[in-house]
Amino acid sequence: MTEQTGANGAPPQGGIDPLAVPYRQREQSITLERMDRPDEPVYGTELEPETELFTVNMGPHHPATHGVLRLLLTLEGEVVRSCTPLIGYVHTGIEKSCEDQSYWKVIPFVERMDYLSYYFNAMAFCTAVERLLEEEVPPRAQYLRVIHLELNRIASHLFWLGTSALDLGAISFLWYCLRERDKVLDLFEMSSGQRMHPRYFQVGGVIEDIPPGWERKVREFIAYLPSRLDEYEAILDRNEIVLRRLKGVAIVDRETVKGLGVTGPLLRAAGEPWDLRKAMPYSSYDHFDFKIPVGTVGDHYDRYRVRMAEMRESLKIVEQALDGLPEGPYITQNRKVALPPRHELATSMEALIHHFKLVTEGFRVPPSETYAAIEAPRGELGCFVVADGSAKPARVHMRDPSFVNLQLLPHMAQGSLVADLIASIAMLDPILGGIDR
Amino acid sequence: MSHAAPLAVVNYSEDWWIQILKAIVIFLVVLQIVPLVLLVERKLLGRFQSRYGPNRVGKFGLLQPLADVLKLLSKEQATPNTAVPWMMAIAPVISIFTATATLAIIPFGDVGSWGDHFGLYGIDVSIGILYAFAFGALAFYGLMLGGWASGSKYSFLGSMRSAAQLISYEIALGLSLLGVVIQAGSLSLTEIVDAQRDYWFVISQFVGFLIFTVAGFAETNRPPFDLPEAETELVSGYNTEFGGMRFGSFFMAEYINMIVISGIAATMFLGGWHGPGPAALDPLWMLLKIAGFLVFFIWVRATLPRLRYDQLMSFGWKVLLPLATLNVLVTAIVVVVS
């Protein structure tokens, strides 16, 4: 347990070896310096005892709550005095349903939790199961996973950008971002056959190698996106209204954010350079050279800039992964876990048996439990799997970042105006499918 | 006097049937513009947002507004239990009445444009622009009553916002036009247009024009000042609980208000009906200027995000109002000195 907890109380690293170098020396962060340093919010009045408060149920059907989030608001005029998020309106019982599926059938279920970062959900689950099986993932599969994860991160952040701008009132932005996101989805469709929820990641690797020509398309996208991001920054960063809506709004200090267990861009915007891709590298993330964007003030503007910078960093990772894409198998050769290639079925008795066993029963996992955490677009996405020795998991639980991050909302909304509350929800980027599961 | 001036120059001399005819024509023309603006807005927004816009109903989607209106007409009028029904019923009427009433004074051409016996405007009232402000101020009762009578909290917040917004921007709007009035030496809109025979007031009153444009956006509740109906915050603000043609009336009132503000801007700053070509083309020039301003409205909607409530108020009171006052002062001094 010597190296297992980092400088900021990192969760214990179950399964993988503690890394030799402390996190503080490994984290490569770029601090997004700011000229302005807003001290105090400019609005907010002292609550007078005789002032009339009124209660509003914002949601679950409200155009700006990103799904079916319900907020119990106490308003004093337009100023939010208290804000209580109420959840559970899209509870689908996915975690319970997972217990009734063999391991390989769980993947499509978990993908549908946080429906904007499906690759990450599958990745968290597969990583957990691979740890239980002590299964090595071939390097090519690791790189392919990284490429898809980072493209998914870009798609997710693009959607966040579009909906956030929409919540601020810039209606056109949604379509611009969706146009770019569609290009990512086109890539997904080409490589994995589906635009969303592709079930591309398998235990032990990925289900198929990338098709010929895909690499060229990804490179085209890498060359294309930065110019678009520049355009977005030009239209948002130089817009006085946007700056006034973002700068100095909903500042939550670093300690509070950390204390609430908030992770991801929200934590980094508050100035904490914590990223699991650096802290506990998984899937060859330590092979790539990238930076962690970190904010300085912890307001909406930092949250916006951190995510914008993250998209550029993700592009860098994708490019490096494409450059260094190793040859070799794309899924583990262990026939007890991964399906044999189709052509072997006609010639090999063994392959036929393995195929039959895997498809009908699935693989069995020795009794044990583990927690695998990865860095999803919204923060630490963890998957806790308990195996009882059968072909079905005894328990699957997801630590969804949206769920934990939602705790930050009352802190952000306290004393702000209704319009800022909407901006806070947008910057929080909650996915209700992930929160309720 | 060797030959008398046309009687129409001295108001209220037109035949009664001409006045009725003018009222009908103006009403019809503007009510036909509204669906066109609607369609143009959706088409343009579509293009701004890299999509097509409506193109299914009729050729190029030309019948889309008709389909929308038919849909609204066939809708049920839902009234919440907490609402005050009769107020909910009259609020849209107030809105649309005040919007159309202001149209009467916008001149589309002078006496002589199409004949020596009538001017191409509803009435040329001597108080001119004050008439527009009177109805502009009344218009807020429509939003206020509509929001308050709905008995919904979002509507209530929306109507509060609209009340505060209209009051604070009305003043800047008025002051921004005062410079023009001082320069033209008249309140009458036709005389103001006549005074722009040599050059448009947008040149000498550029600051006033800017203030008017900004305040005009706020006055019509258009983005970036669409706080009373901020969709992402208040669902739909004051008209959340309205359905069917009651909502349609609010919607139409908003677009008529846009046309009115564009008309006033064209009249006060852009030379009104003046333009090259014979006098018969005057109304066309006026309509073109209005159309240009409307496109600007739409363009801004596609580009800018929404201001926050407190920012809107402080901008109105701390920036626009002092600036407009200063503009009036400078204009007055220049006019007196020269």
Side-chain angles (χ1 to χ4, degrees):
Chain A
M1 287 295 286
T2 47
E3 289 292 332
Q4 285 203 353
T5 45
N8 1 291
Q13 307 167 352
I16 55 167
D17 287 329
L19 291 134
V21 197
Y23 179 62
R24 282 292 146 200
Q25 290 163 31
R26 276 186 293 115
E27 64 155 60
Q28 281 180 298
S29 53
I30 38 168
T31 306
L32 306 170
E33 283 301 336
R34 292 260 299 263
M35 295 306 285
D36 63 309
R37 291 226 170 219
D39 308 316
E40 286 291 311
V42 286
Y43 45 79
T45 49
E46 287 296 311
L47 179 62
E48 288 167 24
E50 68 269 23
T51 315
E52 212 173 317
L53 300 173
F54 76 106
T55 310
V56 181
N57 265 305
M58 187 177 264
H61 51 280
H62 184 279
T65 50
H66 290 228
V68 282
L69 176 64
R70 177 176 156 213
L71 297 174
L72 193 60
L73 300 178
T74 310
L75 298 182
E76 179 200 348
E78 290 254 333
V79 182
V80 179
R81 286 300 166 207
S82 83
C83 164
T84 315
L86 301 169
I87 57 169
Y89 291 91
V90 281
H91 181 68
T92 43
I94 289 180
E95 289 180 351
K96 188 69 186 165
S97 304
C98 291
E99 293 170 18
D100 205 29
Q101 308 293 332
S102 49
Y103 282 93
W104 63 279
K105 286 182 186 165
V106 170
I107 298 170
F109 273 84
V110 293
E111 273 180 346
R112 278 153 182 78
M113 289 180 174
D114 185 344
Y115 42 78
L116 286 186
S117 49
Y118 26 90
Y119 278 110
F120 290 91
N121 295 327
M123 179 71 188
F125 177 75
C126 290
T127 313
V129 177
E130 281 151 14
R131 276 191 203 163
L132 292 179
L133 289 168
E134 293 171 5
E135 190 64 48
E136 273 298 309
V137 181
R140 187 176 176 85
Q142 291 188 6
Y143 272 58
L144 287 179
R145 280 180 174 184
V146 166
I147 295 171
H148 282 91
L149 288 173
E150 292 308 318
L151 285 175
N152 195 174
R153 189 187 309 275
I154 291 168
S156 176
H157 278 356
L158 279 172
F159 201 84
W160 157 82
L161 182 63
T163 49
S164 299
L166 183 68
D167 284 351
L168 292 179
I171 51 173
S172 299
F173 235 81
L174 181 67
W175 278 276
Y176 301 151
C177 294
L178 287 188
R179 178 183 60 198
E180 265 61 84
R181 178 173 169 264
D182 256 21
K183 291 194 185 296
V184 184
L185 296 191
D186 286 343
L187 294 175
F188 288 165
E189 188 179 7
M190 195 175 167
S191 71
S192 56
Q194 288 288 335
R195 297 169 75 79
M196 289 177 83
H197 314 307
R199 210 187 79 108
Y200 183 64
F201 291 180
Q202 299 294 305
V203 175
V206 296
I207 195 150
E208 255 184 345
D209 209 345
I210 48 171
W214 192 72
E215 187 186 331
R216 185 176 51 80
K217 292 219 165 189
V218 177
R219 284 191 197 279
E220 277 169 16
F221 176 74
I222 295 171
Y224 162 84
L225 190 64
S227 62
R228 289 296 187 188
L229 291 180
D230 288 342
E231 276 179 23
Y232 300 158
E233 285 180 343
I235 201 172
L236 290 177
D237 267 351
R238 293 187 207 159
N239 188 324
E240 186 60 28
I241 301 178
V242 174
L243 296 182
R244 275 169 186 254
R245 288 297 303 275
L246 296 182
K247 277 191 177 174
V249 175
I251 301 174
V252 184
D253 66 282
R254 187 171 164 169
E255 290 311 311
T256 314
V257 174
K258 236 162 72 176
L260 288 169
V262 174
T263 45
L266 294 167
L267 179 63
R268 293 194 281 275
E272 182 73 31
W274 178 250
D275 190 317
L276 288 175
R277 289 173 295 175
K278 289 276 187 198
M280 297 178 227
Y282 52 91
S283 195
S284 317
Y285 264 112
D286 44 346
H287 296 187
F288 307 117
D289 171 37
F290 63 100
K291 300 265 188 285
I292 309 173
V294 172
T296 45
V297 180
D299 56 356
H300 282 342
Y301 189 59
D302 271 343
R303 290 168 192 137
Y304 153 75
R305 288 216 305 170
V306 161
R307 284 189 174 99
M308 291 301 274
E310 267 179 26
M311 279 195 258
R312 293 177 193 277
E313 295 300 320
S314 290
L315 282 178
K316 277 202 253 166
I317 300 176
V318 175
E319 194 165 24
Q320 291 172 44
L322 278 179
D323 289 338
L325 190 62
E327 293 298 321
Y330 54 85
I331 195 162
T332 175
Q333 295 300 298
N334 184 353
R335 294 280 185 262
K336 301 287 180 205
V337 173
L339 284 175
R342 193 79 203 167
H343 63 86
E344 278 185 22
L345 295 187
T347 53
S348 159
M349 185 68 194
E350 292 275 299
L352 199 60
I353 293 169
H354 282 135
H355 187 272
F356 179 76
K357 282 297 281 180
L358 278 175
V359 171
T360 52
E361 193 199 357
F363 49 83
R364 294 190 177 197
V365 178
S368 50
E369 58 182 59
T370 191
Y371 174 80
I374 60 168
E375 186 71 27
R378 288 163 193 81
E380 179 184 335
L381 176 70
C383 186
F384 176 66
V385 180
V386 181
D388 57 1
S390 73
K392 293 172 182 175
R395 177 85 172 98
V396 175
H397 174 71
M398 282 278 190
R399 180 221 189 263
D400 196 273
S402 303
F403 176 71
V404 184
N405 292 358
L406 193 61
Q407 296 182 91
L408 192 59
L409 187 60
H411 293 263
M412 286 158 108
Q414 191 71 37
S416 73
L417 293 165
V418 175
D420 283 336
L421 169 71
I422 300 301
S424 295
I425 300 175
M427 289 295 156
L428 206 61
D429 195 17
I431 298 297
L432 270 294
I435 291 176
D436 287 344
R437 299 189 291 282
Chain B
M1 271 201 236
S2 56
H3 56 274
L7 280 172
V9 174
V10 222
N11 292 316
Y12 307 115
S13 62
E14 296 157 346
D15 294 327
W16 60 271
W17 56 270
I18 278 243
Q19 299 217 5
I20 291 174
L21 199 66
K22 284 201 301 191
I24 293 172
V25 167
I26 289 175
F27 197 70
L28 282 185
V29 166
V30 174
L31 285 194
Q32 295 320 302
I33 293 179
V34 168
L36 272 178
V37 176
L38 214 71
L39 185 69
V40 168
E41 167 153 36
R42 292 183 60 183
K43 279 282 191 189
L44 276 181
L45 276 183
R47 290 296 163 176
F48 281 131
Q49 296 165 352
S50 70
R51 55 191 178 90
Y52 288 107
N55 62 356
R56 297 286 128 173
V57 191
K59 193 87 179 149
F60 310 118
L62 279 173
L63 296 180
Q64 184 68 42
L66 194 68
D68 289 344
V69 169
L70 276 178
K71 185 203 79 174
L72 285 175
L73 279 173
S74 57
K75 285 261 178 175
E76 184 195 348
Q77 304 285 349
T79 312
N81 284 337
T82 45
V84 186
W86 66 273
M87 274 195 195
M88 262 188 97
I90 63 162
V93 180
I94 298 176
S95 265
I96 205 154
F97 166 72
T98 52
T100 38
T102 324
L103 277 172
I105 60 160
I106 291 180
F108 286 86
D110 198 5
V111 179
S113 287
W114 276 6
D116 280 347
H117 300 291
F118 66 100
L120 290 175
Y121 40 80
I123 39 169
D124 182 17
V125 284
S126 54
I127 52 169
I129 195 65
L130 290 181
Y131 174 95
F133 284 127
F135 278 104
L138 277 179
F140 119 87
Y141 282 105
L143 314 189
M144 184 74 189
L145 282 181
W148 181 78
S150 300
S152 149
K153 285 165 180 172
Y154 292 124
S155 305
F156 175 72
L157 280 177
S159 58
M160 286 299 145
R161 282 182 175 191
S162 68
Q165 179 174 333
L166 280 173
I167 289 168
S168 44
Y169 278 79
E170 192 91 16
I171 300 169
L173 196 73
L175 283 176
S176 69
L177 293 182
L178 212 53
V180 173
V181 172
I182 292 172
Q183 228 184 329
S186 169
L187 278 169
S188 157
L189 290 184
T190 46
E191 283 173 36
I192 289 172
V193 176
D194 271 335
Q196 299 180 67
R197 204 167 282 282
D198 302 325
Y199 64 93
W200 294 359
F201 282 157
V202 67
I203 299 163
S204 56
Q205 287 290 324
F206 190 66
V207 179
F209 178 66
L210 288 185
I211 298 169
F212 178 83
T213 311
V214 174
F217 277 95
E219 188 76 4
T220 47
N221 295 334
R222 291 286 296 178
F225 301 106
D226 58 338
L227 286 107
E229 47 185 306
E231 194 205 343
T232 48
E233 294 156 29
L234 303 180
V235 187
S236 194
Y238 62 88
N239 62 33
T240 305
E241 302 296 340
F242 286 85
M245 214 45 212
R246 288 183 183 168
F247 165 75
S249 303
F250 272 131
F251 205 65
M252 266 173 70
E254 181 186 325
Y255 280 84
I256 296 175
N257 273 327
M258 269 167 69
I259 295 170
V260 166
I261 289 287
S262 308
I264 293 177
T267 308
M268 305 293 275
F269 295 102
L270 301 177
W273 62 73
H274 289 312
L281 287 181
D282 284 354
L284 195 68
W285 283 115
M286 186 65 185
L287 282 174
L288 266 180
K289 287 168 187 175
I290 290 180
F293 219 77
L294 287 173
V295 170
F296 181 61
F297 267 107
I298 296 164
W299 191 0
V300 167
R301 183 181 175 198
T303 312
L304 291 182
R306 192 180 300 118
L307 276 165
R308 207 171 58 205
Y309 180 65
D310 59 324
Q311 291 166 349
L312 175 96
M313 299 303 282
S314 71
F315 184 64
W317 289 106
K318 292 182 190 163
V319 180
L320 284 189
L321 189 59
L323 209 60
T325 317
L326 197 69
N327 182 44
V328 171
L329 274 178
V330 171
T331 312
I333 291 167
V334 168
V335 167
V336 166
V337 167
S338 58

